[in-house]
Amino acid sequence: AFYLFAKALEESSRDFCEKAKKYELLIVPGDSFGYPGYVRISYCVDEEMIKRSFGAFERLYKSYE
């Protein structure tokens, strides 16, 4: 499996992950992996699925503006 750790856009990575679910994104808080304030994103999926997720990540990001 391949993982990317990214900084959550709010203090609680758990709350950030819950908000991401509203955009059909399943990401995991990094707290359990020793990275509080970060989230873990798995990218061991088909390349097309990764490309389809870009819009959802963009909408999630813009929700914090």
Side-chain angles (χ1 to χ4, degrees), residues 2-6 16 26-28 39-44 57:
F2 299 97
Y3 303 106
L4 172 71
F5 283 87
F16 182 71
L26 184 58
I27 54 179
V28 181
V39 295
R40 187 177 83 163
I41 303 168
S42 175
Y43 59 97
C44 58
F57 276 107

Side-chain angles (χ1 to χ4, degrees), residues 3-63:
Y3 303 106
L4 172 71
F5 283 87
K7 182 80 172 137
L9 296 178
E10 59 182 272
E11 189 173 333
S12 170
S13 60
R14 294 181 194 281
D15 291 345
F16 182 71
C17 289
E18 284 302 313
K19 190 169 187 177
K21 287 180 186 177
K22 295 176 185 175
Y23 298 90
E24 299 184 3
L25 296 169
L26 184 58
I27 54 179
V28 181
D31 303 59
S32 300
F33 305 99
Y35 297 101
Y38 286 78
V39 295
R40 187 177 83 163
I41 303 168
S42 175
Y43 59 97
C44 58
V45 295
D46 183 65
E47 184 178 344
E48 289 304 312
M49 181 178 284
I50 293 171
K51 289 177 183 178
R52 286 192 310 267
S53 73
F54 291 162
F57 276 107
E58 184 176 3
R59 289 188 299 280
L60 175 61
Y61 175 78
K62 286 184 176 184
S63 74

